[in-house]
Amino acid sequence: MNNPRPNHIACPKELPLVLTHAPLLLALLFCFSAVSVSAKEETAHNTQQKVKSIDGLSTVHQKQLCRNTVNAYAIHRDSGDAGAFGALFDAQAEVTVLGKTSVGREQVVQGMLTRFSQGPTFHNMGTVHIAVSESGVITGVSYAEVFRLTQSEGQAPRSKLLGKVKYLDTFQVQDQQCLITTRVMEMIASGE
């Protein structure tokens, strides 16, 4: 028999085969029908989970927005771009870096500018994991190596590892944008 779809049973060409094997064929048909219905129900359940939304966005879309925010944090922090950096935070955000907490977007930006004045940095981002709970709370865990960049006259830039850090975040999605509401930086290992 030529069977172009390997997951399906091909219809027998000979009628006597059907008559002699009718009970077996009926049993097989029942089994495949039950498996098919079960698979469809599971697919429908998984689709509902992915489509569950906050602010009209699927959880998949929310996770991607928040992942983009985490990556943008590193870019804007390293460049010292106060406006772009501040736009990543909720107006009442709380950020704790090395035990010092800044409350509110303005204080968060001021803290970044103070640290940036000590010299440029480079965040080498690693894992970024975003989760959305059943109740809609969005959290994140990410890891980075943070380097201080230095350059002497006439020499190529050099980097010094400041430390390996872990960021613990909560987010809020508003108007198709993911904002950081809390961020705690934990030092995993200090640098050289």
Side-chain angles (χ1 to χ4, degrees):
M1 284 187 256
N2 183 10
N3 187 358
R5 299 186 321 185
N7 293 333
H8 293 78
I9 298 175
C11 294
K13 292 182 179 179
E14 299 173 7
L15 188 57
L17 181 64
V18 172
L19 294 177
T20 58
H21 294 88
L24 177 62
L25 291 174
L26 284 174
L28 286 172
L29 182 61
F30 177 77
C31 286
F32 284 117
S33 296
V35 169
S36 178
V37 168
S38 175
K40 286 178 185 174
E41 288 172 353
E42 185 176 330
T43 300
H45 175 72
N46 290 342
T47 301
Q48 280 181 327
Q49 292 296 91
K50 289 179 184 173
V51 173
K52 205 177 240 187
S53 67
I54 297 172
D55 201 26
L57 301 174
S58 71
T59 55
V60 172
H61 191 192
Q62 292 174 61
K63 288 179 180 182
Q64 188 57 53
L65 287 173
C66 294
R67 197 171 288 111
N68 292 347
T69 296
V70 170
N71 290 324
Y73 173 95
I75 292 166
H76 301 314
R77 165 63 183 90
D78 292 344
S79 71
D81 185 338
F85 184 78
L88 301 173
F89 295 90
D90 181 72
Q92 291 79 36
E94 292 185 21
V95 175
T96 303
V97 176
L98 300 175
K100 183 174 187 244
T101 301
S102 300
V103 179
R105 183 181 292 134
E106 290 177 17
Q107 277 192 8
V108 169
V109 170
Q110 192 55 48
M112 181 275 291
L113 290 172
T114 299
R115 288 185 298 281
F116 187 77
S117 70
Q118 298 166 1
T121 58
F122 173 77
H123 282 69
N124 183 15
M125 295 300 295
T127 301
V128 176
H129 177 73
I130 307 295
V132 180
S133 73
E134 287 289 322
S135 62
V137 176
I138 307 170
T139 58
V141 177
S142 57
Y143 298 88
E145 292 178 321
V146 183
F147 296 88
R148 171 82 60 216
L149 302 177
T150 59
Q151 187 170 8
S152 299
E153 185 84 25
Q155 293 185 355
R158 298 181 57 90
S159 64
K160 175 184 175 188
L161 178 65
L162 295 177
K164 296 179 181 195
V165 299
K166 176 181 181 178
Y167 292 106
L168 302 170
D169 301 314
T170 59
F171 304 96
Q172 182 177 358
V173 174
Q174 303 173 342
D175 302 323
Q176 302 277 327
Q177 184 180 7
C178 180
L179 301 175
I180 299 170
T181 54
T182 64
R183 170 162 267 211
V184 176
M185 184 193 88
E186 295 179 354
M187 184 70 72
I188 297 172
S190 61
E192 302 166 352

